[in-house]
Amino acid sequence: MLNQTSVTEFLLLGLTDIQDPQPFLFLVFLTIYLVNVAGNGAILMIVLSDPRLHSPMYFFLGNLSCLDICYSTVTLPKMLENFLSTHKAISFLGCISQLHFFHFLGSTESLLLAVMAFDRFVAICRPLHYTVIMNPQLCIQMAITIWVTGFLHALLHSIMTSRLNFCGSNHIHHFFCDVKPLLELACGNTELNQRLLNTVTGTIATGPFFLTLLSYFYIITSLFLKTPSCSMLHRALSTCASHFMVVVLFFAPVIFTYIRSTSGSSRDQDRIIAVMYSVVTPVLNPLIYTLRNKEVKGALRRMLRKSPDVKGSTRQ
């Protein structure tokens, strides 16, 4: 239940208070958003349509692409609207909803990246048991678990934030509604909210990150001990390189943002870092996976070759 508060809407101040570059920024971020939707949408379509990619690795890659589209959609459309608007308001309920879905999708993605690292660990270190361990039932169960866990984590923050009393300024020094900027505006004691942010969100961010690093430690150790050929070692490591690049791009700014206290952080710094993990990283993921993954590139070429054939057959 939402707390009684005198603030009925918030004003999102955006990336910058300077008005001159706003149209230019609109074009830049609109392009990024369209590339994000097109790139991740293409990967999702390829994974669903190509039977050769119906494996655990690409099942989780499809989940990642879906998350990246939704993740950017939570913040970017409102940001684009505010670039062209003089009244940059968002309702109280809309603000809490944006906060909820941002943390829901972000925490789900962090857990998904850890699951993807586990998949690579089983594939490389337990190749003979891979199909038994990573069976379809387990993959679906893990996907459902991480989506539900992410939703419950976000629900905790949205409920606790909505119960705060906002009786002063309604100017949010950010381009979307997040817990830290809202805590700065809240009246009364926010110590419990701050602890939840540091402990729960910190655990959601750092836990999967260290599990991912642990998985790659065992992968590298196993490869050096069991693989005599340098070419085989290089080929095995290259299958993990794309995922590891995504992990670093996603977790580094997230951990840097949420393990710090509210009082010790810079607003401009937080906004720049937020652009990295909410805007830049989702658009880079399809580029990383398509440029480095031969199977995805092969599936994309097969799909493009089929397109003219389908058009030609319809004309006949």
Side-chain angles (χ1 to χ4, degrees), residues 120-127 214-228 233 236-237:
R120 292 299 83 208
F121 164 75
V122 177
I124 294 174
C125 299
R126 302 288 187 271
L214 184 63
S215 296
Y216 278 107
F217 172 77
Y218 280 110
I219 287 172
I220 294 172
T221 303
S222 176
L223 287 173
F224 276 108
L225 292 177
K226 297 180 180 180
T227 307
L233 178 64
L237 288 175

Side-chain angles (χ1 to χ4, degrees), residues 106-118 146 149 200-216 243 247 250-251 255:
S107 56
T108 301
E109 182 160 339
S110 69
L111 295 169
L112 177 63
L113 290 173
V115 170
M116 293 174 74
F118 174 73
I146 60 178
T149 302
V200 179
T201 304
T203 302
I204 289 287
T206 57
F209 178 66
F210 286 115
L211 287 175
T212 301
L213 292 182
L214 184 63
S215 296
Y216 278 107
H243 176 257
V247 167
F250 179 80
F251 279 109
I255 292 174

Side-chain angles (χ1 to χ4, degrees), residues 145-290:
T145 300
I146 60 178
W147 281 85
V148 171
T149 302
F151 180 84
L152 294 176
H153 165 251
L155 188 63
L156 173 67
H157 281 305
S158 57
I159 291 175
M160 293 300 297
T161 306
S162 67
R163 293 174 64 85
L164 293 172
N165 187 29
F166 299 93
C167 55
S169 172
N170 66 340
H171 290 67
I172 298 178
H173 293 270
H174 216 308
F175 60 91
F176 67 94
C177 290
D178 199 4
V179 177
K180 289 179 72 174
L182 287 172
L183 290 182
E184 296 178 4
L185 304 181
C187 305
N189 189 2
T190 61
E191 184 179 352
L192 177 59
N193 298 74
Q194 185 63 55
R195 285 182 179 178
L196 287 173
L197 184 66
N198 291 337
T199 56
V200 179
T201 304
T203 302
I204 289 287
T206 57
F209 178 66
F210 286 115
L211 287 175
T212 301
L213 292 182
L214 184 63
S215 296
Y216 278 107
F217 172 77
Y218 280 110
I219 287 172
I220 294 172
T221 303
S222 176
L223 287 173
F224 276 108
L225 292 177
K226 297 180 180 180
T227 307
S229 171
C230 291
S231 61
M232 291 177 63
L233 178 64
H234 179 267
R235 188 164 60 251
L237 288 175
S238 66
T239 62
C240 302
S242 300
H243 176 257
F244 190 73
M245 289 173 65
V246 172
V247 167
V248 173
L249 287 170
F250 179 80
F251 279 109
V254 170
I255 292 174
F256 186 74
T257 298
Y258 289 106
I259 64 173
R260 296 177 302 155
S261 64
T262 306
S263 59
S265 60
S266 165
R267 289 171 178 172
D268 291 337
Q269 194 176 59
D270 282 344
R271 285 185 282 194
I272 293 171
I273 294 172
V275 169
M276 283 297 301
Y277 63 77
S278 66
V279 178
V280 177
T281 301
V283 80
L284 289 179
N285 287 351
L287 295 176
I288 292 171
Y289 278 106
T290 53

